């Protein structure tokens, strides 16, 4: 099992999650983060830290698509272990439907 970053991270990217992960398994895209499923030790510490409630255990149903996206982009995006400021408009995007269309495959800057 692993934890998975899902749709509501897109354009929120608060980054509270990265500072608590004991194995530094978050990877940064331009407008969301992902978890490397083979590196995550399933500790669950990050889940309650996410203000956007975007982190879910993969035991929840319907997350196959997001698990695939996390696995794919964790291989190509840079590692991120240090929390930076969230985007200025993060609050405006929190909870908005249809954010999947705004997903960017571009990498973030990493640490
Ligand atoms: S805390 Fe939540 S919204 Fe912020 S980067 Fe982590 S998963 Fe995304
Ligand atoms: S569940 Fe634990 S190991 Fe996995 S991403 Fe969250 S903090 Fe890191």
């Amino acid at each position: 099992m692993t934890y998975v970053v899902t749709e509501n991270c897109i354009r929120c990217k608060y980054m509270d999650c990265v500072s608590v992960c004991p194995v530094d398994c978050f990877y940064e895209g331009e407008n969301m983060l992902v978890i490397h499923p083979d590196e995550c030790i399933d500790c669950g510490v990050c889940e309650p830290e996410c203000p956007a409630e975007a982190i879910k255990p993969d035991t929840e149903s319907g997350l196959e698509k997001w698990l695939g996206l996390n696995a794919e982009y964790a291989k190509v995006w840079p590692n991120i272990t240090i929390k930076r400021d969230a985007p200025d408009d993060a609050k405006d995007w929190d909870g908005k439907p249809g954010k999947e269309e705004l997903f960017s495959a571009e990498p973030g800057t990493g640490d």
Side-chain angles (χ1 to χ4, degrees), residues 22-71:
V23 293
D24 297 339
C25 63
F26 282 91
Y27 292 80
E28 185 185 15
E30 184 179 38
N31 65 14
M32 85 174 282
L33 304 190
V34 292
I35 291 170
H36 196 310
D38 298 334
E39 296 175 0
C40 174
I41 58 169
D42 311 330
C43 70
V45 171
C46 58
E47 183 185 9
E49 294 296 323
C50 176
E53 297 182 16
I55 300 176
K56 312 280 184 198
D58 74 347
T59 46
E60 277 192 20
S61 58
L63 294 183
E64 293 80 8
K65 178 174 63 182
W66 293 101
L67 178 58
L69 185 145
N70 278 241

Side-chain angles (χ1 to χ4, degrees), residues 4-6 8-18 26 31-35 46-47 49-55 83 86 94 99:
V4 181
V5 184
T6 62
N8 204 36
C9 180
I10 296 171
R11 298 200 78 156
C12 283
K13 207 182 171 189
Y14 291 113
M15 299 220 216
D16 297 74
C17 51
V18 300
F26 282 91
N31 65 14
M32 85 174 282
L33 304 190
V34 292
I35 291 170
C46 58
E47 183 185 9
E49 294 296 323
C50 176
E53 297 182 16
I55 300 176
K83 174 177 160 61
D94 196 349
K99 288 205 284 183

